Amino acid sequence: MIELGPVPWPPAPIRTERLVLRRSEARDRAAFIELFASPEVGTYVGGPRPRAELENAPEVPGRRPGFFVIEADGAMIGMVTLDRRDAQRPGHVRPEGEEAELGYMFLPRAWGHGYAAEACAAALDWFAGALPGERVVLCTQTANGRSMRLAARLGFTEVARFEEYGADQWFGVWSPVAASD
Ligand SMILES: CC(C)(COP(=O)(O)OP(=O)(O)OC[C@H]1O[C@@H](n2cnc3c(N)ncnc32)[C@H](O)[C@@H]1OP(=O)(O)O)[C@@H](O)C(=O)NCCC(=O)NCCS
């Protein structure tokens, strides 16, 4: 895992109209297990992880810069991540690679309310303040309709399509300048 960069972490919890973005805590463990073990959540992201394996892991997931737990009404409903994209993988917008990449996973009961869009917009806003001027990339399976719609709603534009992990992938970029125009 490549660190996001010299960002102050954790920031004070970020509040949106309905949500809180904050670092992960030990009390999020059950929600993390539910998220990673869900076949529905795992459909386009490599499948669910075995519940026993998740339950035996000692650590609190997501203790790193750029990893936000998303909370609604006091409980975790998902996560939004900004990590560096490995230069060896396909899909880049600069020669040296290691672009900041947005990721998102929400519990199925939280889908269809605009929560992911609200949380990702706030995370992108935080990123634009932390590392001004930097672009953010995103990669999703083209078959993942919800994720494709979310990427468009957030203002990501297509850079390339390619195959990876045996599936068609959409690769897009978000620019803070274009987003604030
Ligand atoms: C990808 C994922 C985060 C999308 O979740 P989502 O809830 O569909 O995304 P949004 O927050 O953009 O919500 C949009 C939906 O909420 C609806 N909605 C309801 N109230 C809303 C509101 N107040 N504001 C905005 N949208 C609202 C929209 O109409 C839209 O529904 P539709 O897609 O049926 O038209 C979710 O499906 C997920 O976690 N999937 C599993 C993990 C995954 O595949 N991640 C992608 C890795 S690349």
Side-chain angles (χ1 to χ4, degrees):
M1 176 71 54
I2 314 156
E3 284 286 332
L4 185 60
V7 296
W9 191 264
I14 299 166
R15 287 170 201 285
T16 67
E17 205 180 319
R18 299 177 292 176
L19 307 170
V20 180
L21 285 70
R22 57 167 175 79
R23 75 164 173 182
S24 75
E25 303 287 355
R27 65 187 154 99
D28 301 319
R29 223 179 123 74
F32 271 118
I33 292 171
E34 206 186 327
L35 192 63
F36 292 134
S38 160
E40 215 177 341
V41 172
T43 306
Y44 303 106
V45 290
R49 302 241 304 268
R51 187 170 280 271
E53 181 191 296
L54 295 166
E55 277 166 359
N56 287 331
E59 80 278 7
V60 179
R63 277 284 173 99
R64 63 173 190 266
F67 192 118
F68 290 103
V69 159
I70 313 303
E71 189 181 290
D73 299 323
M76 173 174 162
I77 58 161
M79 55 185 252
V80 171
T81 54
L82 283 154
D83 287 309
R84 295 278 161 199
R85 185 171 178 83
D86 192 327
Q88 307 305 316
R89 292 182 61 192
H92 291 287
V93 292
R94 61 184 193 188
E96 68 272 33
E98 296 187 4
E99 299 87 350
E101 177 171 20
L102 182 72
Y104 36 76
M105 279 171 80
F106 283 71
L107 290 166
R109 63 170 173 274
W111 298 2
H113 299 279
Y115 290 142
E118 189 172 321
C120 289
L124 289 169
D125 193 50
W126 167 81
F127 182 81
L131 294 171
E134 242 203 87
R135 292 175 294 174
V136 176
V137 300
L138 183 157
C139 192
T140 184
Q141 287 193 22
T142 55
N144 192 347
R146 281 190 172 275
S147 180
M148 291 285 285
R149 290 199 294 279
L150 173 58
R153 200 171 296 132
L154 291 169
F156 282 82
T157 55
E158 182 172 328
V159 174
R161 289 181 187 229
F162 49 82
E163 198 181 315
E164 195 183 23
Y165 307 124
D168 291 327
Q169 309 283 342
W170 183 93
F171 179 75
V173 68
W174 173 91
S175 155
V177 178
S180 63
D181 275 349

